[in-house]
Amino acid sequence: MTGPAKPGPDATEALLERLQRESFRYFAHETDAASGLVPDTTVVGSPASIAAMGLALTAYPVAVARGFTTRDEACGITLATLRFLWNSPQGPEHDAAGHHGFYYHFLDMRTGRRTWNCELSTIDTALLMAGVLAAAASFDGASSEETEIRSLAEALYERVDWPWALNGGLTLTMGWKPESGFLRHRWTGYDEALLLYALGLGSPTFPLPAASYAAWCATYRWKRLYGREYLHAGPLFIHQLSHVWIDFREIQDAFMREKGMDYFENSRRATLLQQEYAIRNPRGFAGYGALSWGLTASDGPGPASFGAGRSVRRFAGYLARGIPFGPDDGTLAPWAAVASLPFAPEVVLPTIEALIHERPAIQSAYGLLGSFNPSFPSVDGKGWVASSYFGLNEGPIVLMIENHRSGLIWRLMRGSPHLVSGLRRAGFRGGWLER
């Protein structure tokens, strides 16, 4: 007996384009047309997320290339976003939009100012600025609108005072609040701050010292898991977000030169380890397997507990889940698997096909929902499925599928002089950096 026939290349391309189109609808339908503010989630009353705005700015060129929108429409919303960012108030006041060129994690969708008593976020500002630079690289025409996009993008990036966020140290702090000052925690250990440091090092106005990158790399953890050695981080998003914008294939910093690999290969190993973890399923959760895997930052069914004693199961809400040490409560994130497509298409493509064809409950208006948990007790016995979408989930789906299909975002960003400068100051050499 033979299994089901594998879809041909045309069918696979059609499936990927459908998923891109559906996921892009989040930005097309949820973004405020006047300001470019993008809600963090589809939950009613959600504030805007500056990280989601950075992903949206990066997604517009993809939407143009794929025919999801027109260049004029993409240019219009991009220009509205950059004008809002430039004109929104900066300063130490508790209700400003930002300070020292950084922006608050969450902004009110109506006023565009700080909300939820949130922090001035260094990493979310980096995701935003990556989108700003992507917009500058994409809109390269001679029209007054596209010229203004490039001018505003340069001004926004040059305004970020990266050394201020060091707060006297070598590694970057995670953020700042007007009420209490800098947050206690710093960016240490391998994480999505790879993009943050690259952008900070490349600034022509307020560059980070090169020593800050070396200090960050000194906190890495190299591990061996299931027979594979890699630079460890438990949640899958850490191995993906910087790669949305940076093509790490065959370029190496000092750490990776010593290991004889690059960050792209590291993310490939992390992807394969995630699948292997799901196959082994050490905690015995329902639904895990070769075509059902992906632990990352995601919403969850909790907080809730079921059972007693040693058999109790505890379920969390939004949490950065990871392998092999956890936290793991049986919650899987489809976007985590999809965003690894460039690294390991041979395992990700069958997973995408299985998610779409075998799990209709996790699909809705904007494609794949953010997460699901087959182990969570439910009346119908099918477990829990998220009821909302997150911009931080939708963006990587659109963008990493495109990087797999055409490398569009990687090509655009390879032409960004600031990003190239930052990578070189971090010690990266080889590959496209030498061409």
Side-chain angles (χ1 to χ4, degrees):
M1 181 179 294
T2 60
K6 293 183 179 180
D10 291 344
T12 297
E13 282 295 298
L15 181 119
L16 292 177
E17 181 142 340
R18 168 192 156 191
L19 185 51
Q20 279 185 293
R21 184 186 296 272
E22 291 175 347
S23 299
F24 178 73
R25 286 178 188 154
Y26 180 92
F27 301 111
H29 294 171
E30 300 293 333
T31 299
D32 183 88
S35 65
L37 288 166
V38 181
D40 182 47
T41 78
T42 52
V43 174
V44 175
S46 173
S49 157
I50 63 167
M53 291 174 71
L55 290 162
L57 287 168
T58 313
Y60 298 139
V62 173
V64 173
R66 292 294 169 189
F68 305 159
T69 190
T70 67
R71 188 177 181 94
D72 285 346
E73 289 171 335
C75 178
I77 189 61
T78 297
L79 189 53
T81 306
L82 300 186
R83 283 172 175 169
F84 161 78
L85 289 169
W86 182 252
N87 293 319
S88 57
Q90 288 263 326
E93 297 79 12
H94 70 90
D95 63 344
H99 189 35
H100 283 271
F102 292 91
Y103 286 84
Y104 286 101
H105 190 163
F106 297 117
L107 302 176
D108 185 274
M109 282 293 296
R110 183 179 58 85
T111 66
R113 295 185 178 227
R114 180 196 187 206
T115 190
W116 284 5
N117 197 36
C118 66
E119 81 285 2
L120 195 79
S121 173
T122 52
I123 188 59
D124 291 281
T125 296
L127 297 173
L128 176 62
M129 289 301 144
V132 166
L133 293 180
S138 175
F139 291 100
D140 57 356
S143 70
S144 60
E145 291 81 8
E146 296 199 19
T147 300
E148 186 180 356
I149 284 174
R150 296 193 297 275
S151 176
L152 285 171
E154 186 74 12
L156 285 162
Y157 176 67
E158 289 185 355
R159 186 168 66 177
V160 183
D161 186 354
W162 307 96
W164 173 77
L166 292 172
N167 189 30
L170 276 179
T171 54
L172 285 158
T173 60
M174 290 192 171
W176 177 89
K177 286 188 173 186
E179 298 86 2
S180 53
F182 285 99
L183 304 185
R184 180 168 58 89
H185 295 292
R186 291 178 176 268
W187 288 103
T188 57
Y190 179 58
D191 47 44
E192 66 274 28
L194 181 54
L195 174 69
L196 170 61
Y197 281 96
L199 291 178
L201 287 163
S203 172
T205 48
F206 301 105
L208 290 174
S212 67
Y213 186 77
W216 178 63
C217 291
T219 64
Y220 281 180
R221 291 185 299 166
W222 185 259
K223 289 190 177 295
R224 183 177 181 86
L225 177 63
Y226 306 148
R228 297 181 189 271
E229 292 188 350
Y230 79 129
L231 182 53
H232 173 72
L236 201 45
F237 77 91
I238 286 175
H239 299 281
Q240 297 166 336
L241 282 183
S242 297
H243 295 255
V244 168
W245 291 276
I246 306 176
D247 181 2
F248 284 105
R249 292 173 298 180
E250 299 181 357
I251 67 171
Q252 299 170 310
D253 60 7
F255 182 89
M256 284 300 178
R257 280 193 292 275
E258 181 181 332
K259 298 299 182 182
M261 58 184 283
D262 56 43
Y263 287 100
F264 184 91
E265 170 61 22
N266 195 75
S267 291
R268 173 177 169 79
R269 295 183 188 184
T271 299
L272 297 175
L273 287 169
Q274 283 261 345
Q275 185 195 43
E276 179 66 22
Y277 175 86
I279 293 170
R280 294 179 181 232
N281 194 10
R283 292 173 171 82
F285 287 112
Y288 282 31
L291 300 179
S292 187
W293 49 273
L295 272 68
T296 194
S298 65
D299 202 5
S305 298
F306 296 92
R310 293 184 178 179
S311 62
V312 68
R313 289 280 202 192
R314 294 183 174 84
F315 300 91
Y318 196 92
L319 189 67
R321 296 166 173 84
I323 70 157
F325 311 113
D328 179 10
D329 63 354
T331 301
L332 297 173
W335 76 274
V338 177
S340 278
L341 180 58
F343 310 129
E346 74 279 12
V347 301
V348 175
L349 280 172
T351 300
I352 293 174
E353 290 156 5
L355 288 169
I356 289 177
H357 296 310
E358 299 174 14
R359 295 186 180 274
I362 68 170
Q363 300 168 62
S364 189
Y366 300 141
L368 296 169
L369 285 157
S371 50
F372 65 101
N373 190 319
S375 293
F376 189 77
S378 62
V379 174
D380 61 6
K382 297 180 179 180
W384 171 88
V385 176
S387 59
S388 60
Y389 287 91
F390 284 76
L392 196 58
N393 301 356
E394 298 291 280
I397 290 176
V398 175
L399 300 171
M400 291 300 264
I401 287 178
E402 192 58 39
N403 279 332
H404 167 73
R405 295 179 75 189
S406 73
L408 173 62
I409 302 305
W410 288 339
R411 287 200 313 275
L412 287 174
M413 299 307 289
R414 287 200 297 263
S416 173
H418 302 311
L419 181 59
V420 169
S421 175
L423 290 170
R424 286 178 173 157
R425 290 195 67 228
F428 281 89
R429 299 199 301 268
W432 60 265
L433 276 172
E434 306 297 328
R435 294 195 285 269

